[in-house]
Structure formats: C-alpha cells, structure tokens
Amino acid sequence: MSSTPNPDPHPVEHWAMRRLRQFWLVIPLVAILFALMMSDLGDFMGYNPFTSNQCSFSDTDQSSISAKMYMPIAKWALRYTPSPSVAIIYIDPAHDPPDLLTNVCASRAFLARLIADLNALSAHVIVIDKYYSATACAEQDKNAAFISAMESSKVPIVVGQDDHALAGGSDASGCLALTPRLEFSKAAKVFYGLVHLDADDLKIPLRFAVFSDPAESATTPAISQPVGSNPPPAPKQLPDASGDSLSLVAAKLIDPHIESNRTVRKLLAANPVVDPYTTFINLPNITALTALCSAEPSPRADIDGQPGDELCKLWTRPLDDLNGKQLNLAGKIVVIGDLSDSDMKPFPSDLAPFPSGKRPGVFLHANYVQALLDHRFLLEIPMAVTLGVLVLYTLIVYCLYWAHDEDGRPRLNAEQAGLWSLVALAGIVSLSFLALVAMSYFTPLWALWGAGVFMVFRYLEATGHHRSQHLMGHLAHHRHAPAHPAGEDAGNIHQSSSSHDGGKHG
C-alpha cells in the first residue's frame, strides 16, 4: 500500500515571484525622487511646475544650490561672449551729487539733462530702471523739465512700471496689478516695462500676469454704498503685453520680431510663462556724470546746486572714449540705474565696478536685455521627457538584476548588474551633455541625483538580499543537522535495535 506524500508546507517560490517581491524598492525610490525634485524646484529653482498660480513668487538665495550648481552649468553651456550692444550708466552716490538718490525732484531734473545728452550722443534706446509716480515730486519746474525731456526725446525710452499685490492675491484670479504712474503724451516715444524680477535672479524675467485693481476702478466711495450692495468686481487679467518686463520691452524695440522666435514664443505661451536661465557678462559701464559732463560743452549749468564746470573736471572724457576703453554710446542700448544700498543683493560672482559679491538691479536688467538679443539662455528639458527617461532607466536597472536563464538562475551577479547600471547612468549623463551643447537644454539636477540614488539603493538591496539568503541557508543547515556524528549514531541505533530484538525473541 503506497502512502500519499504530505504536501510541503513551505513550497519553493517561483523565481518570477521572487523577482516581483523585490519591486518594493520602487516605493522608497519614488519618495526619494519626489523629495529631491520638490526641494530642487521649490527651494533652489524658485518655481513649481505642478501649479499655474501666478502669485507663487518666493525669494531664492543665490548663494545656495541654484547658484553653485546651475550657474556653472549655464556658464559652461553659454561660454561664448557676445559683442555687447548694451551699456550701463549708473548713478553712484560715492561720486555723484548725493541728493540724486534721496531727492526725487533733484533726480528728475538731473535725468532731464542726461536724457538730452544721450540724444546728443546718438544712443539707440534709453532704458531707465526706475518707476515714476505722478505725485512724488511737488516742484513743478523740475517735474515739467523732466516730462519735457521725456516727451521730446528722439530716442525711444523704456521706463520702469511698478506693480502691487491685489487684496487676496493668493487666489487663482491673480495677484499683481499695475501701480498708477506718471503719464506722458501719447505721441512721446515712451514705453513701460515691469521692473519686477523673477524669484531667481539667474533667470530672465519675460512676462507677468497683471490684473485690473477693482479698488482703483471703483468710482463710488465704499462708505456711500448701500448695505447689501454687490461686492466689487473680480479683477480681470489685462492684455499679455501689459505684463512685459523692462528687459523684454527694450529687446522688442531693438528686435520687433523677437516674439516670433520659436523658442521665445514657446516660453511666453507657457502658463505660467517660463523664465529661462542666463549668464552675466561685464558690460561697458560709466557713471552718469561722465556721460553728462562729456556731452555738454563748457560753460556747463549748475548740477544740483554745484558749479557744473568745477564738478565736471574729473569726469570729462572724449566722446569716443567715455570710460577709457573705447566706449562710444552711439548705437548702444543705454540702461540707467542707481547703485543704492537697498538695491544691492548677494551675487555669486564679482563683476566690476560693483561691490564684491553684490550687484544692483541695473546690472541685472542690462544683462537680461543683452541675453535676449543674443538668445543666450538655457531651457529645461520638458518634465514629461525627464520622467519618461527616469522610468525607462528604472526598468533597465530591474531587468539587469532580474535577467535569468531557463532554470531561473541569474545571469548577472549583484556586482555585474551594479556596474551595468552605472554604465546606463553614464549614458543618461552623456545624453544630457549632448542636449546641453547642441540645443541649450539642461537636465534638472534632481533627476540625475534621483537616478544615482536609485542605482546605489538597488545595488545595496540586491547584495543585502543575497547575503540574507546565504545566512538563512546557513542557519537552516545547522537547524536540521544530526546531534551526533553519523557513524556513532548508526552504531548506537544498530546496538539498540539488536538488544531490543534479542530481548524480544529470547
């Protein structure tokens, strides 16, 4: 009579199921990758691709990862230096009359003379990194001189436009509204551009979504409205061009077809608008007194109450050599701005003549204009492409560890699979390098960090799994081993059996 064998209470698991059980690693991988991505995008790069909220502006520390990582990438990819078509004219309190930064009316009177002088020097476009309010200056003579100089300029002028946050601006309806400004004649060649910057100064600000302010458009005082009246209308978004940055407006004056460029059009069409990375170069620069004193013949009128000829002794230069470096302002885009302490922020590199480790807003705007005209900026590889490559890399790594023969034995050990995973990662880095060189597209660092972390994590998991299996087998061998040597046990068993049989038959 044959006995039916008892089923094994611990059947051997199929090799495919054992492989699938190792797929748990994807869970910590996704968590690590998401943490790296959000930290990189939110804290360092200053934006979140998963939201279209126009109000999500945040300060970005240029001394952190963004400056230390992305700026070297941009410098290498955009390593050519163009012939500058932009020049900086800065008002420096260390040399210029001190009232120019503290007295609004004195500043307007000085700028009125400077604008006339820049017309005489044949500047191509004048850009003023400053916002002008209709109520800031009460001295009508100086105000009138400034308005007259702006409206009579034959050279186009781009002046700064300020903005303010709407009440409840965190709502999706919008957050920025245009601040009331000093208006000029419709016939004047005066244009406006937002002085608002991107949260990350390494990026070129292109366009911001701006809305009408219901508080400014209301004609009836709130106190006279009857109880239960309708609430003020919701803010309405203004035409796209109303939110153009100072640099974009200036670039469009030089190149009216710049928005027709495929890359620029794509950046402006995104929601929100994508601001690309750029690099900064040493642009030609002079003080405002140098330009004014060199353009005006003697005798010169007083400058802020000081004798003009006497004040200009140290600043007069030949018109074709204004800064000692063959600078001629003819045909240049001239960007005017202040070197005030309030406008200075930390910057990762030193660029003369500005203070060490700092830069003013005029320096940024001038470089933005130059970069737009040269199309010298970097774009991030689309998020869908980045995530697709990461998913493909994950599958390749798992296939390396799961490759087996017909008997279910692995074709590669953990060390070999780890080495090929490193080769695959090197391939991704090489493709990123080619995209950077050939198309000015950079791979976000969080993606490369995530792929590297996953490769190490998967190798450690595989080696740990192999060692645990080896240890479990070793323990199982000791658990089922006989308590005595085989020969001794056999002798004892035979002796006991003989004694038992003899006693039984005796």
Side-chain angles (χ1 to χ4, degrees):
M1 180 177 179
S2 61
S3 60
T4 304
N6 294 328
D8 188 353
H10 302 289
V12 177
E13 193 174 34
H14 191 268
W15 65 266
M17 294 303 298
R18 292 200 304 270
R19 297 291 188 270
L20 289 175
R21 287 170 64 88
Q22 298 176 21
F23 206 71
W24 69 270
L25 186 62
V26 171
I27 298 175
L29 167 67
V30 171
I32 293 171
L33 193 62
F34 187 78
L36 287 172
M37 178 178 64
M38 297 310 298
S39 178
D40 195 14
L41 298 181
D43 297 338
F44 304 140
M45 294 181 65
Y47 81 100
N48 187 341
F50 303 110
T51 178
S52 60
N53 186 4
Q54 303 285 1
C55 302
S56 57
F57 299 113
S58 60
D59 292 331
T60 303
D61 184 4
Q62 302 307 328
S63 63
S64 65
I65 299 298
S66 180
K68 294 179 181 178
M69 292 291 188
Y70 287 99
M71 195 171 192
I73 291 174
K75 278 186 175 180
W76 189 92
L78 307 174
R79 56 192 179 279
Y80 64 92
T81 302
S83 298
S85 55
V86 180
I88 300 174
I89 293 183
Y90 55 92
I91 300 173
D92 188 355
H95 306 293
D96 299 338
D99 285 350
L100 297 184
L101 293 181
T102 57
N103 188 314
V104 175
C105 294
S107 174
R108 292 189 181 186
F110 181 82
L111 279 172
R113 290 179 62 174
L114 182 59
I115 289 168
D117 294 335
L118 291 176
N119 274 264
L121 294 174
S122 302
H124 193 24
V125 174
I126 300 173
V127 182
I128 305 177
D129 178 25
K130 190 181 289 288
Y131 159 74
Y132 294 99
S133 169
T135 59
C137 177
E139 299 182 38
Q140 296 303 321
D141 56 336
K142 295 180 179 179
N143 215 32
F146 174 69
I147 294 174
S148 176
M150 295 283 284
E151 293 181 346
S152 61
S153 174
K154 296 181 180 179
V155 177
I157 300 176
V158 183
V159 67
Q161 168 66 60
D162 200 7
D163 58 67
H164 62 275
L166 289 169
S170 60
D171 187 81
S173 60
C175 62
L176 297 181
L178 301 180
T179 303
R181 65 199 181 197
L182 177 63
E183 296 288 349
F184 300 95
S185 168
K186 298 291 185 181
K189 295 182 178 180
V190 179
F191 305 87
Y192 299 91
L194 284 175
V195 293
H196 201 104
L197 297 177
D198 190 282
D200 190 342
D201 292 343
L202 304 181
K203 293 183 175 182
I204 304 174
L206 295 179
R207 178 174 288 164
F208 301 93
V210 292
F211 297 77
S212 62
D213 192 340
E216 294 175 3
S217 60
T219 56
T220 306
I223 192 171
S224 64
Q225 292 180 358
V227 177
S229 61
N230 294 329
K236 295 182 179 180
Q237 185 167 355
L238 300 178
D240 290 342
S242 301
D244 284 355
S245 67
L246 191 73
S247 52
L248 180 57
V249 174
K252 287 199 294 186
L253 285 176
I254 306 300
D255 180 9
H257 304 292
I258 192 170
E259 289 191 66
S260 300
N261 177 271
R262 181 178 61 86
T263 303
V264 176
R265 184 172 64 250
K266 182 178 179 180
L267 293 172
L268 293 174
N271 185 25
V273 173
V274 176
D275 295 338
Y277 275 95
T278 187
T279 55
F280 298 87
I281 60 176
N282 272 321
L283 295 172
N285 53 81
I286 56 173
T287 66
L289 272 179
T290 301
L292 186 146
C293 294
S294 300
E296 296 183 3
S298 183
R300 301 176 181 86
D302 290 352
I303 301 174
D304 195 27
Q306 303 181 45
D309 284 342
E310 197 170 312
L311 189 62
C312 284
K313 284 181 180 178
L314 299 176
W315 303 104
T316 305
R317 299 286 186 275
L319 294 182
D320 61 346
D321 191 16
L322 291 183
N323 68 343
K325 299 178 182 178
Q326 291 72 50
L327 169 62
N328 190 336
L329 294 182
K332 286 282 195 298
I333 301 104
V334 178
V335 185
I336 305 171
D338 301 336
L339 297 188
S340 59
D341 292 337
S342 60
D343 200 30
M344 293 290 182
K345 295 181 181 179
F347 198 67
S349 61
D350 297 338
L351 293 171
F354 309 111
S356 175
K358 296 181 179 180
R359 51 91 186 96
V362 63
F363 168 76
L364 291 178
H365 288 294
N367 265 279
Y368 295 152
V369 175
Q370 184 72 60
L372 283 174
L373 294 176
D374 298 330
H375 296 277
R376 185 170 45 85
F377 44 76
L378 291 180
L379 304 176
E380 182 180 344
I381 290 178
M383 180 67 67
V385 175
T386 300
L387 294 178
V389 172
L390 282 177
V391 170
L392 178 62
Y393 177 73
T394 303
L395 293 176
I396 290 174
V397 171
Y398 268 107
C399 288
L400 289 173
Y401 284 93
W402 288 358
H404 64 284
D405 56 20
E406 295 179 354
D407 298 326
R409 292 188 297 268
R411 296 183 181 276
L412 301 174
N413 56 36
E415 288 73 18
Q416 292 172 329
L419 181 61
W420 281 108
S421 299
L422 182 61
V423 171
L425 179 60
I428 293 177
V429 173
S430 299
L431 290 176
S432 302
F433 174 78
L434 291 176
L436 185 65
V437 174
M439 299 179 291
S440 294
Y441 275 90
F442 71 92
T443 303
L445 296 179
W446 62 265
L448 300 180
W449 293 342
V453 169
F454 169 64
M455 178 192 69
V456 174
F457 209 114
R458 186 67 183 87
Y459 171 76
L460 293 177
E461 193 273 341
T463 55
H465 179 74
H466 174 73
R467 291 172 182 173
S468 65
Q469 291 293 329
H470 178 75
L471 179 60
M472 291 296 293
H474 187 67
L475 292 176
H477 173 73
H478 280 281
R479 185 181 300 116
H480 297 290
H484 302 283
E488 180 181 349
D489 289 348
N492 292 338
I493 293 173
H494 178 72
Q495 181 179 0
S496 173
S497 175
S498 299
S499 302
H500 178 74
D501 292 342
K504 180 178 180 181
H505 296 285

